[in-house]
């Protein structure tokens, strides 16, 4: 089945130790998104790629970076995780434009110790 | 920027009951989507519904774009319907905004 896959599902990292979360898709969608969701809150968009064009939200901290080496894969890099970065990180795709229906992966739950 | 408000914030129902969840938005939108977030955190697509009415089994949704609201109807609730329901809109300036969600508990 075509889908959005996130690895790992659970990630534990130490304060200040860089961590990378990955997302892959078999949908061949043009747009890929990264969201951060903290407990009992709504998902918050961090950034998205339209093909290779990177679009950063204005309030996304510099600590968060992203790479999209090809259509299928997108990575979220947290350069120096703080305790406040503990959250669920959700990857999503949409087919052609940012206005299309979004499909989400299962998420990666990040713990910072 | 655009405001997205969902009501009620919490809802507790007995199995078999019907419910209506509401999403109001403060400005015109280019699209609207309803999601169910299950207990494991995954967001499941329910409806992509910028306008009109759609039905899928026990669930249906209606968006009245001119009046800036959308409704999600759940009939004959089951315990597996429990979780958080989010609406998300794409604003006219291409911002994706989620509402704060409605937390639904279906009691057996």
């Amino acid at each position: 089945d075509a889908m959005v896959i996130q690895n790992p599902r659970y990630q534990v990292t130490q304060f200040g130790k860089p961590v990378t979360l990955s997302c892959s898709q078999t949908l061949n969608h043009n747009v890929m998104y990264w969201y951060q969701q903290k407990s009992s809150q709504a998902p918050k968009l961090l950034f998205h790629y339209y093909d290779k064009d990177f679009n950063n939200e204005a309030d996304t901290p510099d600590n968060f970076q992203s790479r999209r080496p090809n259509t299928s894969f997108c990575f979220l890099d947290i350069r120096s995780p703080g305790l406040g970065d503990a959250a669920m990180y959700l990857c999503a795709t949409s087919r052609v434009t940012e206005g299309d229906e979004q499909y989400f992966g299962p998420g990666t739950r990040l713990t910072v110790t | 920027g655009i405001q997205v408000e969902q009501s009620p914030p919490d809802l507790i129902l007995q199995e078999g009951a019907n419910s209506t969840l509401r999403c109001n938005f403060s400005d015109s939108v280019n699209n609207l989507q309803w999601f169910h977030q299950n207990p494991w955190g995954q967001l499941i697509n329910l409806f992509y519904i910028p306008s009109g009415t759609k039905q899928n089994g026990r669930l249906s949704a209606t968006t009245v774009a001119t009046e800036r609201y959308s409704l999600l109807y759940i009939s004959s609730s089951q315990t597996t319907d429990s979780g958080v329901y989010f609406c998300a809109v794409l604003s006219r300036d291409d911002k994706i905004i989620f509402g704060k969600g409605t937390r639904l508990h279906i009691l057996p």
Side-chain angles (χ1 to χ4, degrees):
Chain A
D1 287 342
M3 56 198 314
V4 182
I5 302 161
Q6 290 188 245
N7 286 304
R9 294 293 306 278
Y10 300 91
Q11 176 75 56
V12 180
T13 191
Q14 292 178 331
F15 183 94
K17 184 174 181 181
V19 64
T20 295
L21 310 181
S22 75
C23 177
S24 63
Q25 52 129 343
T26 60
L27 298 161
N28 203 33
H29 282 178
N30 288 353
V31 190
M32 295 187 76
Y33 309 80
W34 279 104
Y35 288 85
Q36 179 193 63
Q37 187 180 24
K38 296 188 176 180
S39 182
S40 300
Q41 296 184 18
K44 180 180 179 299
L45 183 63
L46 295 173
F47 26 59
H48 73 277
Y49 276 93
Y50 179 80
D51 288 335
K52 285 194 173 292
D53 291 335
F54 178 69
N55 297 273
N56 198 30
E57 293 299 302
D59 55 356
T60 298
D62 292 340
N63 198 25
F64 291 86
Q65 305 285 319
S66 186
R67 297 171 282 135
R68 189 179 186 185
N70 53 52
T71 299
S72 300
F73 285 88
C74 195
F75 299 98
L76 170 63
D77 300 308
I78 308 177
R79 292 193 296 186
S80 182
L83 298 178
D85 296 328
M88 175 75 92
Y89 289 89
L90 297 162
C91 173
T93 71
S94 61
R95 189 171 59 91
V96 176
T97 74
E98 292 87 339
D100 284 342
E101 184 173 7
Q102 293 186 69
Y103 296 86
F104 280 81
T108 295
R109 191 170 297 279
L110 178 68
T111 300
V112 182
T113 61
Chain B
I2 189 171
Q3 304 295 313
V4 179
E5 295 182 357
Q6 291 187 243
S7 60
D10 294 280
L11 188 57
I12 301 174
L13 297 171
Q14 287 293 138
E15 200 169 22
N18 301 330
S19 58
T20 301
L21 281 57
R22 188 176 182 102
C23 175
N24 291 338
F25 38 97
S26 60
D27 201 351
S28 300
V29 298
N30 289 334
N31 73 37
L32 186 144
Q33 205 166 349
W34 281 98
F35 297 94
H36 175 213
Q37 189 163 39
N38 65 24
W40 298 271
Q42 180 154 13
L43 282 163
I44 309 297
N45 287 28
L46 297 177
F47 295 101
Y48 175 73
I49 186 164
S51 63
T53 297
K54 292 186 177 180
Q55 180 155 8
N56 184 3
R58 296 182 295 105
L59 274 62
S60 64
T62 295
T63 297
V64 184
T66 53
E67 297 186 19
R68 301 180 185 169
Y69 72 89
S70 183
L71 302 174
L72 176 69
Y73 305 98
I74 305 173
S75 64
S76 303
S77 300
Q78 301 175 358
T79 55
T80 52
D81 294 331
S82 296
V84 184
Y85 290 80
F86 288 102
C87 72
V89 305
L90 179 71
S91 67
R92 299 186 86 178
D93 59 351
D94 292 337
K95 298 295 183 187
I96 298 172
I97 309 294
F98 276 73
K100 292 184 177 180
T102 292
R103 188 173 296 274
L104 179 63
H105 289 282
I106 304 297
L107 303 175

